[in-house]
Amino acid sequence: MRMIDQTALPARLTYVKYTRPEQVADAIRTMVVRGAPAIGVAAAMGLALAAARSKATRPADLMKEIEASATLLRGTRPTAVNLFCGIDRVLNRAASASTVREAKNAVFAEVKAMEEEDVEVNRRLGRMGADLIDNGDTVLTQCNAGALATVGDGTALGVVRAAVEQGKLVKVLVPETRPALQGARLTAFELVRDKIACTLISDTAVGHMMSQGRVDCVIVGADRITKDGYVFNKIGTYQEAVLAKRHGVPFYPAAPRSTFDLDRTHDSVTIEERGAEEVVKIRGRRIAPRGIPVANPAFDKTPPELVTAIITDRGLVWPPFGENIPRLIA
Ligand code: MRU
């Protein structure tokens, strides 16, 4: 398995190669690969590595080995539902096989299907959302919901790319997204590389930019959208939504079907808390005194009343979300 090392961007575009599921679990935990759809497919690939390496001669033994890797991969990051969906899809496919060979082939086929679906789903979602963008608009985003976070064009950035393809002039306002700087490092990398107009701002400039009328809409990705319409996404998304409401700016999360969790309401979702190192240091360099207590929630939860509409590969979902999500997404 070969993928971009996202921790090295934008300084170096390098690829890492993995042969064992434990390496993939480590890569997800340390954010070598990150972004909800990307970690879903990466975890599925981790299971494919487990299947490929297995010397089991009975399907039940192979299943045990794959399930052990699934447990390891499930424990890496708790918030993005795509991770768990990706793992379950592979396990279900493998469980329906009656020989070891059949099970291994089923696992490989499922991973391939997930990869291809993600590309297609991003494209469809992009087209659905592009109609919401007018020529000349400035779109505020958060974190990186682009090609690096998916297999295809991205979700939020997939919408921007589709609008650009339609010939619209679009500018993206990119908050740096402390502490891991996915905006400054990854979204900026993608947009500069694709020659899409963009401006980097500090996270603290978001309110000011909105108050000056310099944001036409907000488009962000999502790690999980519960059936009651709460949107879990990178920390900082909630404050963008509150500010958008204050300034009459539409707020659109963009997410594929695999990001919806129709089994849960918002109060039972775990928000990942990451280590203090990310906050007390910037790219390895200490900026805060030793011993300072730190809180580092990696995601936040935006309530449905702050969401204008959700852009999905199945179309736009409008309020009331509690009714329309189960109806349109099931
Ligand atoms: O911690 P990260 O970088 O994995 O967080 C990523 C995000 O919050 C993205 O917005 C989300 O996963 C959607 S990516 C299409």
Side-chain angles (χ1 to χ4, degrees):
M1 170 178 177
R2 194 170 163 268
M3 60 188 180
I4 293 174
D5 178 359
Q6 298 195 31
T7 62
L9 287 172
R12 285 179 325 255
L13 178 59
T14 52
Y15 289 80
V16 281
K17 211 171 138 185
Y18 299 127
T19 53
R20 288 184 292 116
E22 308 85 74
Q23 293 172 313
V24 180
D26 225 44
I28 294 174
R29 201 175 295 112
T30 57
M31 290 162 71
V32 167
V33 58
R34 33 69 46 208
I39 62 174
V41 177
M45 285 183 177
L47 297 184
L49 292 179
R53 294 177 67 83
S54 172
K55 302 237 180 336
T57 52
R58 294 184 316 156
D61 296 334
L62 174 65
M63 272 319 285
K64 261 194 212 139
E65 288 179 35
I66 301 179
E67 270 161 14
S69 296
T71 304
L72 187 73
L73 288 156
R74 275 202 190 96
T76 51
R77 299 193 74 190
T79 308
V81 74
N82 309 60
L83 178 82
F84 304 94
C85 284
I87 291 171
D88 288 345
R89 267 183 74 162
V90 172
L91 288 178
N92 289 338
R93 251 323 264 285
S96 61
S98 44
T99 66
V100 166
R101 174 160 299 275
E102 218 180 285
K104 288 189 178 187
N105 285 341
V107 168
F108 304 147
E110 192 62 23
V111 175
K112 194 85 205 126
M114 284 174 67
E115 265 188 271
E116 286 166 4
E117 267 170 39
D118 195 54
V119 173
E120 182 47 35
V121 153
N122 282 187
R123 247 184 233 130
R124 269 208 304 271
L125 182 155
R127 283 197 297 267
M128 301 287 177
D131 293 340
L132 297 169
I133 300 181
D134 289 328
N135 189 34
D137 271 0
T138 295
V139 177
L140 173 73
T141 190
Q142 174 69 347
C143 191
N144 171 265
L148 289 163
T150 62
V151 186
D153 282 345
T155 55
L157 294 191
V159 174
V160 169
R161 287 190 166 101
V164 170
E165 259 169 40
Q166 290 176 350
K168 291 173 185 162
L169 277 177
V170 184
K171 187 166 113 184
V172 185
L173 216 48
V174 183
E176 56 187 347
T177 317
R178 272 284 286 152
L181 297 170
Q182 291 94 330
R185 298 188 303 105
L186 308 178
T187 295
F189 171 81
E190 279 192 33
L191 295 175
V192 167
R193 204 174 135 104
D194 282 3
K195 299 189 170 52
I196 294 175
C198 56
T199 299
L200 179 64
I201 56 171
S202 65
D203 296 326
T204 39
V206 166
H208 174 74
M209 297 303 271
M210 284 205 204
S211 75
Q212 300 288 296
R214 291 165 75 178
V215 178
D216 296 298
C217 66
V218 180
I219 306 182
V220 294
D223 285 79
R224 190 186 295 243
I225 301 176
T226 49
K227 64 178 176 188
D228 48 355
Y230 282 73
V231 178
F232 292 78
N233 191 47
K234 180 51 53 195
I235 193 78
T237 301
Y238 171 59
Q239 64 205 32
E240 286 189 4
V242 172
L243 285 160
K245 187 80 164 179
R246 168 78 175 84
H247 295 289
V249 172
F251 177 88
Y252 305 114
R257 164 69 185 87
S258 55
T259 300
F260 286 81
D261 184 350
L262 300 181
D263 295 332
R264 272 173 208 267
T265 51
H266 67 98
D267 37 14
S268 61
V269 175
T270 305
I271 291 191
E272 179 183 8
E273 187 77 30
R274 294 184 63 86
E277 286 286 286
E278 288 181 353
V279 180
V280 296
K281 293 183 178 172
I282 295 185
R283 309 296 285 153
R285 191 155 165 208
R286 177 168 283 276
I287 51 155
R290 283 177 202 285
I292 179 97
V294 169
N296 186 14
F299 299 96
D300 59 26
K301 170 168 81 174
T302 298
E305 59 270 22
L306 299 181
V307 176
T308 309
I310 306 173
I311 304 165
T312 82
D313 50 307
R314 302 193 178 178
L316 302 178
V317 184
W318 297 92
F321 296 112
E323 269 172 45
N324 289 340
I325 289 176
R327 198 167 58 79
L328 291 165
I329 299 300

